[in-house]
Amino acid sequence: MRIGSYTLDNNLMLAPMAGVTDRPFRQLCKRMGAGLVVSEMLSSNPKVWNTAKSQARMNHEGEEGIRSVQIAGADPELMAQAAQFNVENGAQIIDINMGCPAKKVNKKLAGSALLQYPSTVESIIKAVVNAVDVPVTLKIRTGWNTDNRNGVEIARIAEQNGIQSLAVHGRTRACMYKGEAEYDTIRRIKAAISIPVIANGDITSPEKAQQVLNCTGADGVMIGRGAQGNPWIFKEILHYLETGENLTPPPLSEQYEILHEHVANVQSFYGEVAGVRIARKHVGWYLSEHDTDRQFRKSFNAIEDASAQLEALNAYFEALQEKPDRFLLQHSND
């Protein structure tokens, strides 16, 4: 699959998720088989670029692969400036966010709120595409609400104004993350345009990825929540698409190694205070199948020391390995 002049390793992408797809997680998912990883969205407001949060989101030091950076905003001129700034900072692809359903984003008429205003969508796309020499991609939802599914119209505007690839989350803004993704709308969008279309929404298994590709005719799939605590999903999907067979899940020892490395990298990236806090949600996702009574997470979330976090994880997995029957039972119910 190609985006502009770039050829991806495969057609599996990590969706941009605020507070999740930071550098440690992107690097991990890339190693686990993702063909493209997209950064957390960055505000187009230059007043916040020097904050600690924005500086962390802009950090691509040591990253391998194509660097795709997502920007969000409602003003065409500011979006163009943000695109230029991020290209100067190492971005090789600029992705425009018109899919985020969060209230704090939408109240500024950014994210999926823009789908209500096709003329503004066009102005932003034109401004960004004309501002940079790298490929510009777009992420949208199917519309503002179920009475206003204008994804096909937005897709045509995108193609006509230079967007190189379009990712579509199969829900309207009003649907948030409720209900099932509407792949039929993605199929109509794919049929209406010739640029690559990436299907997103509820892709949590290799079988589902294949089903979505078959149903929509999309060129690739984008995985968001399905990768949280499960970064090896990319390796599993890739194997299934290539062979039609399921890859054996990573053994408990490998899961521990991946989690340990991820937590240590988060702590190193953010520093001990913030790193300890941010690591908690990732640990919760990784252990959702094992720590069903949430007792470990309750005690883990009270730990304030980085090394103590790693020691607690080591002790927890040692205890899990001493109870293989419990582990096998949980996985037999997946």
Side-chain angles (χ1 to χ4, degrees):
M1 179 179 166
R2 294 179 64 84
I3 297 179
S5 60
Y6 295 109
T7 300
L8 309 188
D9 292 337
N10 57 61
N11 62 346
L12 309 181
M13 302 182 187
L14 173 66
M17 294 177 284
V20 180
T21 55
D22 53 18
R23 194 184 78 187
F25 192 57
R26 292 195 304 271
Q27 289 178 312
L28 176 57
C29 290
K30 187 73 178 73
R31 201 177 79 238
M32 290 286 121
L36 182 71
V37 296
V38 187
S39 76
E40 305 169 84
M41 67 177 179
L42 290 161
S43 171
S44 61
N45 181 1
K47 294 179 180 179
V48 303
W49 292 349
N50 288 322
T51 64
K53 180 185 288 187
S54 292
Q55 288 294 307
R57 291 185 177 187
M58 293 176 186
N59 190 323
H60 303 280
E61 185 178 342
E63 280 195 71
E64 296 181 358
I66 303 162
R67 297 176 180 178
S68 177
V69 175
Q70 188 181 75
I71 59 174
D75 181 273
E77 185 177 346
L78 288 180
M79 288 287 280
Q81 291 173 8
Q84 292 171 335
F85 177 82
N86 283 286
V87 168
E88 291 168 2
N89 198 42
Q92 295 167 297
I93 294 175
I94 293 293
D95 184 61
I96 300 174
N97 182 325
M98 294 189 186
C100 180
K103 286 184 178 179
K104 66 179 181 180
V105 175
N106 284 195
K107 71 180 182 180
K108 298 176 183 177
L109 295 182
S112 56
L114 287 165
L115 300 177
Q116 301 171 95
Y117 310 103
S119 61
T120 305
V121 168
E122 184 170 22
S123 297
I124 289 173
I125 291 172
K126 282 182 176 179
V128 173
V129 168
N130 291 331
V132 293
D133 293 326
V134 303
V136 178
T137 60
L138 175 66
K139 188 165 192 282
I140 66 171
R141 286 188 165 228
T142 58
W144 176 249
N145 57 38
T146 53
D147 293 325
N148 295 280
R149 286 192 178 97
N150 62 341
V152 170
E153 177 189 2
I154 298 297
R156 286 179 174 144
I157 290 171
E159 181 178 39
Q160 291 163 5
N161 290 281
I163 290 297
Q164 299 291 301
S165 175
L166 178 69
V168 186
H169 183 104
R171 289 181 173 86
T172 68
R173 189 273 169 185
C175 293
M176 298 295 284
Y177 296 99
K178 299 175 183 176
E180 296 182 359
E182 41 173 293
Y183 303 120
D184 55 337
T185 305
I186 300 178
R187 182 173 64 249
R188 289 197 295 272
I189 290 171
K190 172 58 185 173
I193 60 176
S194 59
I195 59 174
V197 172
I198 313 303
N200 173 231
D202 299 349
I203 300 170
T204 57
S205 71
E207 293 86 353
K208 189 63 176 289
Q210 183 70 77
Q211 175 193 338
V212 170
L213 286 169
N214 292 344
C215 173
T216 63
D219 300 278
V221 292
M222 180 172 275
I223 298 143
R225 290 172 295 160
Q228 292 176 350
N230 186 30
W232 46 84
I233 190 172
F234 296 100
K235 186 184 298 185
E236 293 175 343
I237 291 175
L238 190 60
H239 182 83
Y240 187 83
L241 294 180
E242 291 176 345
T243 68
E245 300 175 353
N246 281 303
L247 189 66
T248 303
L252 198 58
S253 58
E254 185 179 340
Q255 291 183 37
Y256 166 69
E257 290 173 2
I258 293 169
L259 173 55
H260 184 280
E261 176 191 350
H262 189 181
V263 170
N265 286 341
V266 166
Q267 293 172 346
S268 174
F269 183 70
Y270 290 102
E272 181 159 336
V273 176
V276 164
R277 175 178 52 80
I278 292 168
R280 292 168 183 161
K281 60 186 174 187
H282 289 283
V283 170
W285 291 325
Y286 277 100
L287 300 184
S288 60
E289 292 182 4
H290 307 302
D291 184 31
T292 53
D293 59 8
R294 303 179 68 89
Q295 288 305 302
F296 174 74
R297 273 175 285 179
K298 184 177 180 180
S299 62
F300 184 84
N301 289 346
I303 298 173
E304 300 289 349
D305 178 76
S307 59
Q309 276 191 334
L310 297 175
E311 290 169 4
L313 286 173
N314 182 57
Y316 181 78
F317 272 84
E318 283 185 351
L320 265 187
Q321 289 178 312
E322 291 173 1
K323 300 177 182 178
D325 292 341
R326 174 185 172 191
F327 173 69
L328 292 173
L329 177 62
Q330 287 171 331
H331 275 262
S332 69
N333 293 326
D334 287 355

